[in-house]
Amino acid sequence: MWRAAQASNEDPSPTVYLGSPIIDGPNPIWPDSIVVTDEAQGREVVEQQRERGADFIKVYSRLSRNAYFAIADEANKCDIPFEGHVPESVTATEASGAGQRSIEHLTRVADACSKEEKLIDSEMQRQEALFRAPDATMAQKIDSGKSIIRLNMRVVETFDEATAKALFALFVKNRTWQCPTLTLLRAQIDDPLLANDPRLNYLSREVRAKWDAGYYENVPPEPRPQSSN
């Protein structure tokens, strides 16, 4: 409605591109997400969001493989871009091949640069399932959380330059854009300079509260030079 009103307004106004709500799988990360559990729902949600005027479909982390590839196929048929997170059940290589227009936060990209991607992914999915199990105890969640951190470190340790170059060449070929969002991730680091950044005044109270609470608590700190004193 806002875009339609501005189209007939002679005053200058920005061009606004509207994405769909987050499309996620069961137990979504964000409570206002649209939950898609199977292929049929995946195709249906693309058509629904296209009809309501979305300029692109935003996919997210907990979509199943069947749902994700159904969304990708339907979006390509409807000529509407889809972008967002690469789901846990899909590799970055597969996402690029499926036509995902952009990958946010480099999700799954580091994994795809590892020479042990398949092995690490399999164990990562197992640990994440254990962590999210409704009957998991706090002790079990802590153990799974530690395993996930160790697996993330293993991704870094097994980086392979040839594998990375092949992946990046595929991104170029498929025109798969990357949005690293480094500023957002850096905001979670305990850096005294960030606390006085004047741009923080433009964030809502809700966003600041999430940042202050350490929402991205698994982001490792940036290496800092040690003082010579």
Side-chain angles (χ1 to χ4, degrees):
M1 293 178 62
W2 186 90
R3 288 193 296 182
Q6 293 304 310
S8 59
N9 191 340
E10 296 182 357
D11 295 331
S13 61
T15 299
V16 177
Y17 295 94
L18 297 175
S20 73
I22 291 172
I23 312 298
D24 208 353
N27 301 311
I29 295 173
W30 297 101
D32 294 331
S33 302
I34 298 176
V35 175
V36 168
T37 61
D38 56 32
E39 180 178 343
Q41 290 180 351
R43 295 185 182 278
E44 182 180 3
V45 77
V46 172
E47 183 61 28
Q48 288 176 343
Q49 295 306 311
R50 186 184 67 82
E51 289 182 355
R52 69 178 287 271
D55 292 305
F56 64 90
I57 305 298
K58 181 162 185 177
V59 293
Y60 224 66
S61 301
R62 294 180 180 174
L63 284 168
S64 68
R65 287 181 62 84
N66 288 343
Y68 173 83
F69 286 113
I71 290 171
D73 184 60
E74 195 67 22
N76 290 329
K77 288 179 179 178
C78 295
D79 196 28
I80 180 172
F82 70 100
E83 48 203 69
H85 291 201
V86 177
E88 298 162 2
S89 60
V90 179
T91 68
T93 300
E94 290 174 323
S96 179
Q100 183 162 329
R101 184 67 59 84
S102 74
I103 295 177
E104 309 307 310
H105 325 305
L106 302 176
T107 49
R108 309 306 315 280
V109 172
D111 306 60
C113 294
S114 166
K115 58 187 176 183
E116 297 182 5
E117 179 185 15
K118 291 184 178 179
L119 181 64
I120 293 173
D121 280 355
S122 177
E123 181 61 17
M124 184 73 78
Q125 290 185 36
R126 189 178 77 86
Q127 292 296 336
E128 287 173 343
L130 290 172
F131 184 86
R132 293 199 296 264
D135 58 346
T137 65
M138 182 56 66
Q140 290 171 329
K141 285 182 177 291
I142 291 173
D143 286 343
S144 294
K146 290 180 178 178
S147 295
I148 290 170
I149 292 174
R150 284 194 294 268
L151 288 167
N152 283 327
M153 294 303 300
R154 186 60 183 165
V155 166
V156 176
E157 294 166 356
T158 57
F159 170 83
D160 181 69
E161 185 172 354
T163 301
K165 286 183 177 180
L167 175 67
F168 301 155
L170 181 69
F171 288 159
V172 172
K173 176 184 176 182
N174 294 336
R175 302 187 62 145
T176 309
W177 291 79
Q178 304 297 321
C179 182
T181 335
L182 296 180
T183 297
L184 175 61
L185 297 180
R186 185 169 179 266
Q188 314 310 316
I189 309 303
D190 183 17
D191 187 338
L193 295 178
L194 293 176
N196 299 319
D197 192 319
R199 292 173 296 181
L200 293 175
N201 294 328
Y202 298 100
L203 294 178
S204 68
R205 291 181 179 178
E206 291 78 11
V207 170
R208 282 298 305 275
K210 289 176 181 177
W211 285 19
D212 292 342
Y215 179 77
Y216 295 92
E217 56 196 28
N218 289 328
V219 177
E222 295 176 333
R224 300 177 186 168
Q226 298 297 317
S227 173
S228 58
N229 295 332

